[in-house]
Amino acid sequence: MQDNSAAYPELLPHLFRLEYTKMTAVLCRHFGLQHMEIAEDIASETFLKAMESWGINGVPENPAAWLYTVAKNKTKDYLRREQLFEKKIKGAIKTPGTQEAAAVGFTPQIIQDSQLAMIFAVCNPSNPPEAQICLALQILCGFSVAEIAAAFLAKTETIKKRLLRAREKLRQDQFQITVLQEKAIAERLPTVLRTIYLLFNEGYFSASGSQLIRKDLCSEALRLALILTDNKLTNTTETNALLALMCYQSSRLEARENEAGESILFEQQDRDLWSQELIDKGNQYLVNACTGDAVSKYHLEAGIAYWHTTSATKKWEHILQLYNQLILLEYSPMTALNRTFAYAQVYGNEQGIAEAEKLQLTANSSYHALLAYLWTTIDTEKAMGYYQQAIHLTTSATEKKTLQRALDKLSLK
Amino acid sequence: MKEFVLIFRLNDTENVKPSPEQMQERMNWLAGIAAQNKLADQGNTLSVTNGRTVKPGNIVTDGPYTEIKEFISGYIVVKTDTIEEAVEIAKANPIFKLGGNIEVREVVKRS
């Protein structure tokens, strides 16, 4: 035993999350989804024991191995008790899906397979997307209810209720978690990708919540997508396109905010702060994504994100074309606004304004912010009016600050 | 919300193959409708070369041509409150530069 107990308050939360999710995945697969709670109880007890023991004896040399040994023993104990119970009380209901008292194993392959199976189990299409993200955060990413509530700026009670309902659906689901069927994978992959995409966006775009938690959401989404690339059934061109998109976006994480936590607009970002490593990774995944004929929304968004990393002269023409395709594939007010911004970059602000006004998204603060931006070079008064509207409509404090700064700059003119 | 079919007509087969610029213009127009969330169906382009007209008495003629030398080149479906709005959308289409026209017809839903 090494004495690095001084480091353990730092070590535990990170280790906790990662190993907790791996452990529950393996145990859930072992016990079946109906008995998710047993799996989680065993995992929690294991970590409780770790906290006690490591606090006194220091952190073991291989903390993960230590955890798995304890979990293995606890599972054995549980199953022994259970068998005793079944023997003594005859006729006890034997639930299908529960495995016999086979020893649970924690080899890297089992962990990997279990994690993948768990991702597919959690992304149950019968749950609404926001519930799926909460579930993913709790079960796949090891977030506490309080952390999820902080990420969504919601009350803990709301999140608890949402999770309770969603978990009930998981238990009722007949999803076969022990052996992943090819057909089940094909059917659920779109839901899985969508959940990862939304998880990432929640971290990347939500203007609320602490910066730390938001970065965590982004890296968790990347981690889950990477698990998908390890299996040939899930390593599809769409998966690669989504990964490319997330890499490109992540490359700008450091450049998006100044030290005071205020967001920096794209054009004003310090490009030296962009991570070239992540851009290169994005390029690599985008190449993988383009090996087939399929063009998904992830392909289009990754393409847009790619052009944003370049300074090519025709880049806005390409971005506009991709936005045109994206809006035809799926309407969203944000896509409509972003497309109009690209349109204005190609055809000038005046034509951009005409195109923007057609959208009539008058209740959307970004709509007014876009018009304010486009009017800036043409009519300061008008631009200021739109900025005021946008400030009035936005609910995000960070965005309010950013808009106010833009407005102040105009009033100085 | 009502649905209207916009039927595109051209009368010169020369103009059927668009240049990249024309393509871009058309795409901008179409995406602009989608951006207003008023596109019900992005429709299709209809082939000029591979077409037949079937008439009574087993008569099949080549081409899509009707009596006048005008043919339908494609269609889309928009969703708007009024036909006037659908007409406004149609007015911005670049087809008029080629001497084409657009017919706007409300979709009568089978009940």
Side-chain angles (χ1 to χ4, degrees):
Chain A
M1 291 262 171
Q2 249 175 290
D3 183 45
N4 47 4
S5 50
Y8 112 87
E10 301 279 320
L11 178 71
L12 202 63
H14 181 75
L15 192 73
F16 180 89
R17 265 198 206 157
L18 194 67
E19 298 305 329
Y20 177 85
T21 56
K22 287 183 185 171
M23 197 179 285
T24 42
V26 173
L27 292 171
C28 269
R29 191 151 164 257
H30 191 76
F31 289 112
L33 270 184
Q34 303 93 320
H35 304 290
M36 210 157 60
E37 276 72 24
I38 302 172
E40 287 174 330
D41 283 348
I42 291 176
S44 299
E45 280 173 31
T46 303
F47 280 91
L48 206 64
K49 191 166 174 189
M51 289 225 276
E52 286 168 8
S53 165
W54 299 359
I56 301 164
N57 304 321
V59 180
E61 238 166 284
N62 187 343
W66 188 99
L67 288 167
Y68 289 137
T69 311
V70 173
K72 214 185 242 174
N73 291 334
K74 284 196 179 294
T75 311
K76 251 188 233 160
D77 288 347
Y78 172 83
L79 291 170
R80 206 175 291 135
R81 276 201 308 273
E82 193 71 348
Q83 272 186 336
L84 213 65
F85 176 79
E86 287 215 4
K87 255 184 220 163
K88 290 208 166 154
I89 307 162
K90 276 277 169 200
I93 320 128
K94 228 182 149 207
T95 346
T98 324
Q99 291 224 344
E100 290 302 315
V104 58
F106 287 99
T107 65
Q109 189 60 47
I110 291 177
I111 293 175
Q112 198 182 316
D113 291 350
S114 303
Q115 278 188 297
L116 186 68
M118 218 40 203
I119 295 177
F120 276 79
V122 163
C123 296
N124 182 335
S126 63
N127 273 322
E130 71 272 13
Q132 264 171 37
I133 299 173
C134 285
L135 265 187
L137 281 173
Q138 192 189 35
I139 298 175
L140 305 177
C141 312
F143 277 47
S144 69
V145 174
E147 284 171 321
I148 301 172
F152 282 96
L153 273 195
K155 291 200 183 93
T156 0
E157 274 314 304
T158 318
I159 299 293
K160 263 190 196 155
K161 275 185 202 148
R162 195 181 288 173
L163 283 167
L164 212 66
R165 273 196 297 270
R167 292 171 74 101
E168 192 47 45
K169 285 247 172 70
L170 283 202
R171 266 191 297 271
Q172 289 163 5
D173 191 17
Q174 295 298 311
F175 191 73
Q176 183 53 259
I177 193 173
T178 322
V179 188
L180 273 183
Q181 306 288 341
E182 200 171 332
K183 190 170 157 270
I185 286 188
E187 269 172 21
R188 270 195 188 184
L189 191 56
T191 316
V192 168
L193 293 178
R194 184 148 195 105
T195 304
I196 295 175
Y197 171 80
L198 291 173
L199 182 62
F200 185 88
N201 282 358
E202 190 58 42
Y204 198 77
F205 292 110
S206 93
S208 50
S210 95
Q211 167 78 348
L212 211 65
I213 289 185
R214 286 194 282 127
K215 272 190 189 161
D216 250 9
L217 296 190
C218 293
S219 63
E220 282 298 316
L222 271 163
R223 185 178 67 83
L224 295 177
L226 279 171
I227 295 176
L228 298 181
T229 58
D230 281 333
N231 185 300
K232 70 176 193 308
L233 291 177
T234 50
N235 188 21
T236 63
T237 53
E238 270 188 56
T239 303
N240 279 277
L242 176 59
L243 254 171
L245 168 65
M246 295 195 293
C247 285
Y248 288 135
Q249 305 280 55
S250 300
S251 73
R252 291 192 285 272
L253 269 174
E254 299 300 325
R256 288 196 320 162
E257 228 165 59
N258 65 14
E259 280 136 15
E262 292 158 341
S263 51
I264 301 171
L265 296 173
F266 186 83
E267 310 91 87
Q268 288 146 19
Q269 287 174 8
D270 177 1
R271 292 188 170 213
D272 290 339
L273 288 176
W274 291 0
S275 158
Q276 191 56 46
E277 192 192 339
L278 280 165
I279 293 175
D280 292 343
K281 279 231 169 81
N283 291 341
Q284 184 193 321
Y285 289 120
L286 191 60
V287 169
N288 292 345
C290 296
T291 49
D293 299 327
V295 177
S296 64
K297 67 179 254 154
Y298 308 120
H299 282 87
L300 297 172
E301 287 195 43
I304 292 166
Y306 162 75
W307 284 108
H308 274 309
T309 66
T310 72
S311 330
T313 43
K314 288 257 176 195
K315 86 174 202 184
W316 283 106
E317 271 91 338
H318 292 288
I319 291 175
L320 174 61
Q321 282 194 32
L322 290 163
Y323 268 124
N324 279 347
Q325 289 183 56
L326 188 62
I327 195 87
L328 288 173
L329 211 61
E330 190 179 87
Y331 170 81
S332 91
M334 218 45 227
T335 307
L337 291 167
N338 284 333
R339 174 195 173 264
T340 311
F341 182 84
Y343 188 89
Q345 293 293 318
V346 177
Y347 297 104
N349 284 9
E350 287 192 29
Q351 286 202 54
I353 289 167
E355 196 73 4
E357 280 171 345
K358 287 186 205 160
L359 304 181
Q360 285 303 313
L361 294 164
T362 44
N364 186 321
S365 73
S366 303
Y367 170 74
H368 296 278
L370 173 65
L371 277 167
Y373 177 86
L374 296 177
W375 275 110
T376 298
T377 51
I378 303 167
D379 185 332
T380 318
E381 286 286 309
K382 273 212 158 124
M384 285 169 68
Y386 279 115
Y387 272 128
Q388 275 151 1
Q389 277 286 335
I391 292 167
H392 173 70
L393 284 168
T394 184
T395 49
S396 144
T398 331
E399 209 175 287
K400 223 169 226 160
K401 255 200 252 168
T402 311
L403 291 165
Q404 188 63 51
R405 255 187 298 156
L407 178 61
D408 292 346
K409 235 167 98 187
L410 278 187
S411 7
L412 289 176
K413 274 192 184 171
Chain B
M1 204 64 95
K2 291 172 182 163
E3 287 189 2
F4 297 90
V5 185
L6 271 49
I7 302 159
F8 308 115
R9 286 212 166 85
L10 284 171
N11 45 34
D12 184 358
T13 45
E14 293 298 300
N15 287 323
V16 174
K17 242 197 145 48
S19 67
E21 290 74 29
Q22 284 171 327
M23 272 302 282
Q24 183 61 45
E25 244 184 316
R26 280 185 204 177
M27 193 60 183
N28 281 342
W29 175 77
L30 190 64
I33 304 168
Q36 300 170 57
N37 204 12
K38 286 177 183 164
L39 191 65
D41 186 328
Q42 51 178 300
N44 279 299
T45 300
L46 303 178
S47 164
V48 190
T49 47
N50 201 12
R52 302 276 191 279
T53 304
V54 184
K55 293 174 181 166
N58 262 338
I59 298 167
V60 178
T61 57
D62 247 2
Y65 319 111
T66 45
E67 304 307 316
I68 38 170
K69 217 180 172 305
E70 202 181 55
F71 65 93
I72 296 170
S73 62
Y75 68 92
I76 68 162
V77 187
V78 299
K79 45 180 180 183
T80 57
D81 288 322
T82 61
I83 191 162
E84 285 74 24
E85 225 183 308
V87 167
E88 279 311 307
I89 289 175
K91 277 183 185 167
N93 188 285
I95 199 169
F96 307 111
K97 293 180 192 168
L98 305 171
N101 63 63
I102 299 176
E103 191 175 319
V104 182
R105 306 272 295 268
E106 184 177 344
V107 176
V108 184
K109 295 260 158 93
R110 290 186 192 97
S111 47

